[in-house]
Each structure stands twice: as structure tokens, then as C-alpha cells.
Amino acid sequence: MRIKEITASLGYLILLFSFSFLVPAVAGLYYNETSEYVYKAYLLPLIVSASIGCILWYNSRDSVENLRERDAYIVVGMGWVAIAALGALPYMFSGTISNPLDAFFESMSGFTTTGASVLDFSGGDYIDIYPHSILLWRALTNWLGGMGIIVLGIVILARFMHGGLFLFKAEVAGASVTRLKPKLYQTARILWAVYGFFTLACILFFMAAGMPGFDAVCTSFSTLSSGGFTLHTDSIGFYASPAVEAVAVVFMFLGATNFVVHYWFLTGRFREASKDAEMRTFVIWLAGMSAIVIGSLMLSGMDSPVRNGLFGAVSAATTTGFSTVSDMSVWPPLIHALLLFLMLTGATLGSTSGGLKTARFLVLIKNLRNGMIKAIHPRAVLSVKMGGKAIPDSVVSRIQILFLTFTMVLAVSVLLLCATGISLVDSFSASASCIANCGLSIFSPGVGFHTFSPFAKAVLTVVMWMGRLEIFTALMVLAPSTYRK
Amino acid sequence: MYIVVAGAGHVGAEVARALLGEGHNVAVVESNRKRIQELESLDALVVEGSAANPRCLAEAGIDSANLMVAVTGSDETNIIACVMAKAKGCKTIARLRSPDYMKEGAVSGRLEIFGIDLAISQDMVTANHISKILLLPSLMESGDIAGGQSLIVELRIGQGNPSISRMPDSIKLPPGAVICSVARNSSAFEPSHAGPLQRDDRIMMVLDSRALVRPAEEAFGMPSGSVSAVGGRMEGGIDKVVIVGATRVAIQVAKLLEQDRITVLVARDPEGCARASEALEKAIVINGDATDSNLFKDEGLDDAAVLMAATENSEFNMIACLLAKKRGVPRTLSIVDEPELRQLFEQIGVDIALSPRKMVVDFIIQHISGKQASATFTNLQGSGITAMEILVDGSLWMVGKEYHNIKMPRGSFIGSLIRNGKCVKPGMFDTVKPGDRIIVMVQPEAMRKVERLFSYRHGKIMHK
């Protein structure tokens, strides 16, 4: 580990990140919030993070060119922690969430696009009791975290981030994004451009569906990033509008599916786009699961089963975590299980969704089948194929390791939550929701993230962080062997 | 520029790395998965597959590419890749192993029938380069600068050289010669900071003209080889050259030298010898083992002035050189396949170790960057440092500043200055003037910073 190289890259990232405080600050002034509030909530954090960034960068500015692969893991892992910590400052300084741990949880939940909230809603709807600017900040954390902070850093700081390639690999695990252009920053730029384009479209569609402008912006941020923060305690259900729900379903799907495929679609390469094996599987899988959810809701005699069932299934599978019903606990247990299953499998690679992703499951299942064939024909030479191309064994084994560690982290999290006295069902639901960065809360009545003990919240914060970095990068940061000379 | 590199062997990977370093967009096509894994750390689009396959080329973005560099191991693949790239409007560069595609004796050239803009014969590049170096007793490398008027040379301080332990500044050089740098181990020093000269130091000098090569050597007390010019035609001095191996490079070098020198080619395999004797006229071809002491004595190889080992086996080359040295051959040159081993070879006692691959990479890069006039290098292989020539034009930001006020990045310094065709050391109060050619000595890690310093603000960097 080489401290200077790491701090130089971190410094750049934090410096870049500090500018994002300007967005809620401007919004605060626009919505006539007091200048003292704007200063305390946004300018102070801006000054703090900009100075930290400057100090880190200035001390080691000559070293940024020599970032190595193992250092990149630390930069990305620590970068996410640092940015979540700095992103918690507005909540703390403005008094929205005065407890530092809760503020950190909320911020981490935002950046990892989990969308689990500990915001206090005893006084009424979020939008009635909190200033607009802080809600915009909350949505913005979703949006920034969705496509990835590091990827954004590579887009903007391409010239300075010489370790960009390693950083990209550490954030986008297994480099699952197909190169579209020879230079990495060009590919990253396309991803962000498509992301921005969809966000804009989503805002317009939401407004056309009757949402107020501010709601449309904030909700779009959370929709495309598969984040799930909303302005209302009733989530999307507040609007009680089929049109809004339809727009949300479409854009949740777009945000949670491969942006490379979207780019092909937008540039008219339909043949390549339609051949993507993972996309096809995901669509079939999502359609099938939605049908089961809808059928089961019908059988148990719930209200408007098609609307709520489809929305719930898409919200879980895309790991967004919006909901249209105020209390899911009245739904039959089968649906709870299905939704948890959907969020753990996640959507597709190269998207903003969390979970394990469909392609990895495809590989695991095909590998399992190969294993069985091998038992019958010991001399058979088999390869795992995706879309006609063989997947190298090293990639297959990496996916197996990921699956194993993912399951282990989930199990340990459930264990620790149970230790704080939370029931097994709620522990599992909360852990799954956090590791898949979904945020959908399927809890027993009266239980929510805000009722958990500080220790449980701390555990879940770590789990969200690990989930977003797809375990491996997070493990590298935590493993002592990384720091040995 | 958008450049597609076909083939990621040693040459391909090095070319891709160098092009990326110059800021180009690079796509690499390679069929070997192992090699692809080694490319992981490059910020380039990597396509798995054959470069002769139109689908792979399309995937690599040949439609929008400006240049195709075909350096796979197969001539046929290179040609097909270039033909296809040409059809898409690319410029094309190909390395060809077989000399028969080219005009007899040409190093590189245009191949109209295949649409190859620059076909490079690796063997000819190597042979040409080697034959120049072979004939100069102390000269390691030479390169032309200032459009061919001046030249940059590298000398190595041998054992027992009278200038050992003298300060570089105290050596009285003929006018028109300037010491740019002293390279020791793998780092370079300004002459005034280098301290006393040591054995194996490499001195890099800029000379006004070729005529100064000999006086400069004399100033350092180098053995009098009575060299009068850089190049193949020389009088006196070396008269016997031994070449070990019957590879294409070896035969080619022998061909270039046999007219003016007594040339002896020794090779172990009879078929190679047959090929060599067919290709050569005056040179003597001997079938035998160059490491065999009897053969050495019988054939009178020990009174040769220089021995070059150019078999395909690097280890054998090294041993042949070391044994020859022990038996009294004053100068030895070895071909090393792996560029990384060059320095090690020279430390052990081989006088010069050269890597053909590195030469081809340098040749290609110089061609590409020279065409563009964006960056310029004279890569002196031995010490790993690069002499960069910068032509100052009126719009460069530093015009009018004093030379000693220009803060150079760490790992680089101004070696010399060519003003009005004369090499000088920039004095205390000299200011930067348009038309100056600044020779900057750059270590690899500082390359990017130096380029930024000069090229970012409209400095015009000229290729040699």
C-alpha cells in the first residue's frame, strides 16, 4: 500500500464531490429558505470537504500518476465511505438528523441507492416537515451513487486519473461493462450521458403524468438510480395515479438494465441490442415472477392486484424499493419471499441496480448443469457460454466466489441483527434489502429501519456499502493482508 | 488519433503502450487469451480474435480508425489486416518478416499492391542499426538531430579509461561538442551534478557535425579507432568482424559489412550455413560452435576487432560474447530477445546488448509521432533515457524567459541547446529565443510531464 498515491486520488475525488453541495444550496435559496440554513446545511459541508480534498491532494499531488491495482481497491472502498460521511454533514448540520450514526446511515443508504430511510416522519409527510433543499440532497445522493461516483470522477477527471482503469474495475466489479470506445473515459462519458438523458426524459414524463416539478425531479433521481428515496412517507402510493406508476415502472426498468444495451438502442444498433442474452433472460424472469405475484395477490383477494403486483415486482427486481401500498405486511408470505428473491437476484450488469445480477445467476446455473454432465461423462469438455461466447474459467470461479461471499455476508448480517433482538424474519428482510441495495421494507407491523438499535444500523450501513461495491472491493479494504508490505 | 494495433506480442504491446502514453486512442486485436490478460492494465479497447477477421476489425472500430499497425507474428495476417484497413480509409503500417516483399536491401517502404503505406522489415531495421554501431569502437548509439545537421552520440567509459575519476566538466572537448548528460546505472545526471566519472558511465553528447566524433572520443581518451564518420564507410580501424549465428539478421549484417571488412560468419547448424553462403559473396562461412576454443584458435577469430552474436538463443549469445571477450576480442555485441534483459547483459560484460523488438517499436513510434510532429525522441537504447528535441517557435510560453529560470520536472533536465546550428550549453543569462532547439534529457517517468510542459501551450515539438 502506498499512502501518497491513495490520498492523491482520494483528494481529487473528494474535491470533485464537494461541488455537488452547490445543487441543494441553490435550491434552498430558490425555495426561500433562510440563508443561515443554506450556509449551515450546505456551504459549511462544502468548505469542509473541499478543504479535506485540497489537503489530501496538495500533500501528494505528484503521486497521482502511479496508482496501482491494489491501491485502487482502497481508494474506491475508502472513497465511498468518505463520501457517504461527508454527504451526511448536511443532515447533521441542518438538524434534520442530529444523530451522526443515523445521518451516516441515511447518507450511505442514499449513495448506495438502497433507499432505506431513518428519517423521522412522526410529524407528518416528509415534504411538509422538511425543507425542499434537504429532500433534493437526499434524492441527489441517490442519483450520484447510481451510476457510480468513481465513474463520474473518471468522466470529469480523465486527465488526472491515471489509475482510472483500476479504479473503474474496483467500482464496477469484474469490469462488467463492455467497452464502447477505446478510452475508458469515453465509455464512462457515454454511460453518464445515457443516464442523464433518461433522467431528463423521466422528469418530463412524470410532469406529464401530473407530478409537481420538484417532485418530478427528486423522484426521477431516485427512479433511474434504482435508489428509492421519495418525498412522501407513502412512497409512490402518495400520488395514487396509475400514470405516475406506469412512468415509474418503465424508468425503473430502464435504470436497472444494461446501459450499453440502451446506448445501442439509442444509436440504432437494434440487432446487437436485441441479442443480449442477459437482457432477454431478465425480461422473461421478471415477467414470470410478476405473473406469480399478481396471481397470488388475486387469490388472496387484495385490492387492485395487477397494478400493485406489477409495481411491487418491478420495484424489487430493479432494487429500487418504491412501493404503492402503505403496508406490505398484509400481503401473503409467498409474495414476501418472492420479492426478497427478486431483489437478491437483481437486474442486469452495467446498470444502476444492486443484487447479484441475472448474468451471474445464468453463469452459475449453466456451470451447475455442466457439473452434472461432467458427472455422467467424465471426459466431456464443457464451457459456460453466454450469447454464443465462452466465459473463461477464471471468470466463472470469480462469480462462484462472489456468490459465496455474498451469501456469507448476508448470513453474518442476519446473525448480528438477531443478536440485537430483531426477529429472524425482520433481520433477514432488512439484511437482504440492504445487501441488494433495494431498501424495500417488508417488516412486521410497527418495525422499520428507524426502530433498530444503533448497533443494528451500523451493521446495515456496512452491509449496504459491501453490497454496492459487490463485496470484493469492500473485503479488500477490510482485509489486513492488503495493508501488509 | 485512433489507432488499431493488430497483434499484442512484445512489439504490439509495446507499441500500444507507447501510443497510449502519447495520448492516442488505441484498440488492440489479439487472438491469444493469455496475452489479452496481460493487456488488462492498458486503457485500450481489446478485441479477442484474429486480425485477419473482418468482424474482429469492425469490433475494434476500424471504421473510425486513422491508422492500422499490423504487428502480428504472421506476414499473411498483417497483410490481410492492412488490406482491409486500407479499404476503410486507414493509413497502414505493417511489420513483415520475410524480406522478399520489399525491394532488395530496403529497410522500409511502401507496398502498393497490398495498400501498405509503410512496410517494415524487422531484420533490415535491426541489421542496419547494428552495422552502424558495430563499426564505431566506442560509440554505443547515434541519432541525428536538428534535421540531420547535428548528431547525438553516446559513449561508454570502459575499464582503464584515463578519464575515470575526472569531473565531466573538466574534460576538454573540441568546440561544437557538448556533454548533455551522464548516465549511471539506470538514472541520468546533469554533467555538473554527476560527480567524478566512473567505469560504465554513459556519456551522451551533442555534436555539431559528424567530423567531431573522433575528436570527442580522443578527449575522453578512448582507444584510437581512427573513425572518421558515422556510418558504414570508414577507412582503417576495424578490419575483422565475427558474426555468430545464421539468422536473417546475422546474414543481413554480414551482407552489409562484407565488402569493406573481413567478415567471418560462424553458425552451428549446417542448413543455416548453406543459406548464409548462398546469400554472401566475400564473407567466410564456417560451420562450427563459436564457443569452442579450438575452433576459435584455428580460425583465428581471436584477432577480430568485434564479435556479434545473433543466434535466436539469447543465453547462447551471451556466452559466446563473454567467451570471445575472454579470448581477446575487444568488443562484443549481443542480440537479446527480451528488452528487459539488455541492461543485465551489459552489466555482466557484454559491451552492447540490443533488442530487435525494441528497435522495431522505436522505429514504428518514431514514424507515427514524427509524421504528426507532436513529439520527438531520439531513443538511446542503452541507458533508458530519451533525448527530446524541442523546436521553439514564437508562440511558446517560455520565449523570453531565462533558461535557468525554467523549472524542469523531476527526472528531466535541459542537456544542450542548438542555436544557429551550433551546440552550446545554455548560459546563466541566455533567454529562450524562437528557433532554438532545446535538447531535453528525459527519464521515462518524467516523459508525460515534459510533454505537457512544452506541448500544452503550443510548443512545437519536432521529430528528429
Side-chain angles (χ1 to χ4, degrees):
Chain A
M1 189 182 74
R2 298 185 300 177
I3 306 243
K4 278 217 157 175
E5 282 74 7
I6 292 170
T7 53
S9 296
L10 271 179
Y12 267 124
L13 268 182
I14 292 173
L15 203 56
L16 174 72
F17 164 73
S18 62
F19 288 105
S20 59
F21 289 116
L22 290 174
V23 177
V26 170
L29 294 176
Y30 177 78
Y31 286 105
N32 289 326
E33 287 157 22
T34 61
S35 53
E36 193 204 335
Y37 181 83
V38 169
Y39 169 74
K40 260 201 333 203
Y42 309 113
L43 295 186
L44 209 56
L46 190 154
I47 295 166
V48 170
S49 51
S51 8
I52 292 177
C54 278
I55 292 167
L56 287 179
W57 163 76
Y58 189 80
N59 260 339
S60 40
R61 60 194 179 286
D62 286 339
S63 315
V64 73
E65 302 199 351
N66 311 317
L67 197 73
R68 291 181 310 177
E69 190 160 5
R70 68 149 84 180
D71 301 333
Y73 286 110
I74 299 173
V75 171
V76 172
M78 300 293 245
W80 274 81
V81 173
I83 283 170
L86 292 168
L89 294 180
Y91 301 126
M92 282 158 64
F93 291 171
S94 69
T96 310
I97 306 173
S98 44
N99 179 348
L101 182 66
D102 283 356
F104 187 53
F105 179 92
E106 189 80 11
S107 173
M108 184 62 96
S109 163
F111 282 110
T112 57
T113 72
T114 308
S117 182
V118 290
L119 222 50
D120 182 19
F121 55 85
S122 50
D125 204 2
Y126 293 146
I127 195 146
D128 297 329
I129 49 174
Y130 294 114
H132 279 60
S133 59
I134 201 83
L135 293 174
L136 178 66
W137 172 246
R138 214 164 146 253
L140 189 66
T141 58
N142 264 180
W143 194 70
L144 289 174
M147 192 45 87
I149 303 165
I150 310 289
V151 179
L152 182 62
I154 291 168
V155 173
I156 298 177
L157 300 175
R159 260 191 54 213
F160 305 101
M161 308 277 275
H162 293 285
L165 193 66
F166 297 135
L167 293 174
F168 186 82
K169 271 194 344 203
E171 183 175 78
V172 184
S176 48
V177 173
T178 317
R179 283 280 183 107
L180 295 165
K181 294 271 157 140
K183 281 265 164 75
L184 181 65
Y185 75 88
Q186 295 164 328
T187 306
R189 192 182 285 166
I190 287 174
L191 294 180
W192 265 91
V194 174
Y195 189 47
F197 171 74
F198 279 161
T199 311
L200 212 62
C202 186
I203 293 173
L204 294 177
F205 274 103
F206 268 141
M207 285 171 74
M211 247 194 208
F214 181 75
D215 288 40
V217 171
C218 291
T219 316
S220 300
F221 281 178
S222 306
T223 309
L224 259 307
S225 60
S226 71
F229 275 151
T230 52
L231 304 179
H232 306 285
T233 39
D234 286 337
S235 190
I236 299 292
F238 171 87
Y239 302 101
S241 149
V244 166
E245 286 164 28
V247 173
V249 164
V250 169
F251 282 95
M252 279 193 285
F253 177 80
L254 289 178
T257 41
N258 197 334
F259 276 70
V260 172
V261 177
H262 295 331
Y263 174 71
W264 284 336
F265 253 117
L266 291 175
T267 51
R269 286 146 77 183
F270 301 113
R271 224 159 48 96
E272 275 168 89
S274 62
K275 268 200 295 191
D276 192 83
E278 186 191 18
M279 272 297 241
R280 288 173 154 202
T281 317
F282 177 63
V283 170
I284 294 167
W285 160 252
L286 182 58
M289 292 299 265
S290 304
I292 302 176
V293 171
I294 292 167
S296 145
L297 278 179
M298 274 178 176
L299 287 177
S300 53
M302 293 288 156
D303 295 339
S304 45
V306 176
R307 202 171 129 191
N308 286 341
L310 180 69
F311 192 92
V314 172
S315 171
T318 61
T319 73
T320 311
F322 284 149
S323 64
T324 49
V325 288
S326 51
D327 191 4
M328 279 194 185
S329 58
V330 297
W331 283 2
L334 170 66
I335 297 183
H336 295 168
L338 283 178
L339 293 184
L340 284 177
F341 203 58
L342 275 172
M343 62 172 91
L344 286 174
T345 47
T348 72
L349 294 171
S351 73
T352 66
S353 84
L356 269 171
K357 316 278 189 309
T358 312
R360 302 219 176 91
F361 268 95
L362 264 181
V363 168
L364 286 176
I365 290 166
K366 288 181 175 177
N367 193 42
L368 176 68
R369 198 193 53 197
N370 280 357
M372 286 156 73
I373 295 175
K374 198 115 196 176
I376 304 167
H377 307 285
R379 286 184 195 81
V381 177
L382 303 163
S383 59
V384 178
K385 275 194 242 170
M386 281 275 279
K389 273 190 179 169
I391 309 280
D393 284 348
S394 58
V395 174
V396 175
S397 82
R398 226 187 127 103
I399 290 173
Q400 286 172 328
I401 292 170
L402 174 69
F403 181 75
L404 186 71
T405 45
F406 190 89
T407 319
M408 269 161 52
V409 170
L410 183 63
V412 170
S413 168
V414 171
L415 192 77
L416 291 174
L417 290 194
C418 283
T420 67
I422 302 166
S423 79
L424 179 60
V425 175
D426 291 338
S427 296
F428 185 77
S429 169
S431 302
S433 193
C434 283
I435 201 171
N437 298 133
C438 181
L440 205 60
S441 32
I442 306 167
F443 292 134
S444 324
V447 177
F449 287 106
H450 55 280
T451 65
F452 290 171
S453 68
F455 175 72
K457 282 178 201 158
V459 169
L460 289 177
T461 309
V462 175
V463 169
M464 286 190 277
W465 172 68
M466 296 182 91
R468 177 62 181 83
L469 297 176
E470 304 205 313
I471 318 293
F472 198 71
T473 302
L475 282 181
M476 289 289 285
V477 174
L478 297 178
S481 59
T482 315
Y483 303 94
R484 252 176 239 142
K485 291 241 158 124
Chain B
M1 267 210 292
Y2 187 162
I3 301 170
V4 177
V5 178
H10 285 264
V11 172
E14 270 312 306
V15 167
R17 197 163 283 137
L19 291 174
L20 282 171
E22 288 185 17
H24 297 293
N25 294 339
V26 177
V28 182
V29 184
E30 168 63 54
S31 53
N32 184 329
R33 190 169 274 171
K34 255 234 163 77
R35 284 187 189 156
I36 285 180
Q37 278 173 357
E38 283 161 22
L39 295 176
E40 253 185 14
S41 63
L42 292 186
D43 187 5
L45 177 70
V46 179
V47 176
E48 186 180 344
S50 162
N53 181 332
R55 221 189 42 211
C56 294
L57 286 185
E59 218 177 302
I62 196 78
D63 291 319
S64 46
N66 309 99
L67 177 70
M68 153 69 84
V69 179
V71 285
T72 68
S74 139
D75 285 356
E76 291 79 2
T77 308
N78 290 345
I79 289 171
I80 292 172
C82 282
V83 168
M84 285 193 286
K86 194 77 204 175
K88 302 279 185 190
C90 277
K91 292 255 170 222
T92 50
I93 296 179
R95 172 185 64 173
L96 300 175
R97 285 185 191 278
S98 165
D100 302 335
Y101 289 108
M102 316 263 262
K103 252 183 269 156
E104 178 78 28
V107 174
S108 64
R110 228 180 138 74
L111 274 185
E112 208 58 70
I113 36 166
F114 301 129
I116 300 175
D117 293 308
L118 180 77
I120 298 165
S121 153
Q122 174 162 340
D123 297 332
M124 284 305 298
V125 169
T126 314
N128 242 356
H129 199 89
I130 290 175
S131 63
K132 272 188 196 167
I133 296 172
L134 266 186
L135 299 174
L136 297 170
S138 321
L139 192 64
M140 306 292 299
E141 293 269 344
S142 76
D144 301 337
I145 48 174
Q149 289 183 328
S150 313
L151 75 162
I152 187 157
V153 298
E154 192 176 70
L155 305 170
R156 182 161 132 194
I157 306 283
Q159 196 167 14
N161 188 296
S163 47
I164 285 179
S165 80
R166 283 176 67 184
M167 301 298 274
D169 285 341
S170 70
I171 287 164
K172 203 162 156 26
L173 288 167
V178 174
I179 300 180
C180 289
S181 79
V182 177
R184 189 169 295 151
N185 300 326
S186 54
S187 42
F189 302 93
E190 284 185 66
S192 50
H193 296 169
L197 290 174
Q198 298 173 11
R199 192 190 145 199
D200 286 343
D201 278 359
R202 292 151 175 280
I203 319 269
M204 214 179 263
M205 281 196 296
V206 175
L207 305 177
D208 270 356
S209 69
R210 280 159 195 252
L212 287 169
V213 172
R214 191 56 221 147
E217 280 177 357
E218 265 162 15
F220 279 95
M222 303 263 173
S224 56
S226 61
V227 180
S228 59
V230 177
R233 298 167 302 283
M234 281 181 306
E235 296 78 42
I238 298 161
D239 49 24
K240 192 167 188 180
V241 178
V242 179
I243 296 168
V244 180
T247 53
R248 279 201 292 265
V249 173
I251 296 175
Q252 217 30 266
V253 172
K255 223 174 191 172
L256 290 169
L257 297 181
E258 65 178 350
Q259 295 304 330
D260 310 319
R261 300 285 174 283
I262 303 167
T263 309
V264 184
L265 191 144
V266 187
R268 278 195 293 192
D269 79 299
E271 280 170 42
C273 288
R275 247 182 297 128
S277 69
E278 199 179 321
L280 299 171
E281 284 166 26
K282 283 190 171 175
I284 304 155
V285 179
I286 291 166
N287 184 5
D289 190 339
T291 56
D292 178 357
S293 60
N294 286 332
L295 177 113
F296 225 81
K297 238 184 269 150
D298 296 345
E299 297 293 341
L301 301 185
D302 37 8
D303 61 351
V306 55
L307 176 137
M308 172 183 95
T311 67
E312 271 145 7
N313 182 339
S314 300
E315 291 81 359
F316 181 81
N317 289 347
M318 179 183 78
I319 289 167
C321 284
L322 293 179
L323 284 174
K325 200 113 196 146
K326 208 168 167 211
R327 288 169 190 149
V329 178
R331 228 160 88 90
T332 54
L333 185 151
S334 167
I335 294 285
V336 198
D337 250 350
E338 301 78 12
E340 310 82 54
L341 292 183
R342 253 171 30 220
Q343 218 170 11
L344 180 73
F345 269 49
E346 294 184 7
Q347 273 164 8
I348 291 174
V350 176
D351 291 296
I352 305 168
L354 290 171
S355 156
R357 286 183 196 148
K358 178 91 169 70
M359 283 183 226
V360 172
V361 172
D362 288 350
F363 193 90
I364 292 173
I365 296 301
Q366 285 191 359
H367 186 83
I368 294 171
S369 49
K371 270 274 164 68
Q372 268 204 317
S374 70
T376 167
F377 314 102
T378 304
N379 273 315
L380 296 163
Q381 231 183 352
S383 53
I385 70 170
T386 298
M388 198 180 207
E389 179 188 359
I390 291 134
L391 174 62
V392 178
D393 71 1
S395 62
L396 189 70
W397 64 278
M398 58 177 70
V399 166
K401 282 185 103 179
E402 284 164 12
Y403 270 104
H404 80 124
N405 277 337
I406 298 170
K407 192 171 173 285
M408 297 299 293
R410 203 184 308 157
S412 69
F413 52 86
I414 293 177
S416 154
L417 169 67
I418 301 176
R419 181 174 283 173
N420 307 326
K422 293 268 172 271
C423 303
V424 286
K425 197 92 196 161
M428 202 60 174
F429 300 108
D430 275 340
T431 55
V432 180
K433 287 185 189 157
D436 283 358
R437 288 165 188 273
I438 307 172
I439 310 292
V440 184
M441 314 307 291
V442 194
Q443 299 200 32
E445 67 272 12
M447 186 60 82
R448 199 180 268 278
K449 285 180 185 159
V450 172
E451 276 180 90
R452 222 176 278 159
L453 182 71
F454 287 101
S455 65
Y456 244 72
R457 295 159 241 197
H458 314 294
K460 197 170 182 187
I461 304 185
M462 287 271 301
H463 183 245
K464 73 165 194 179

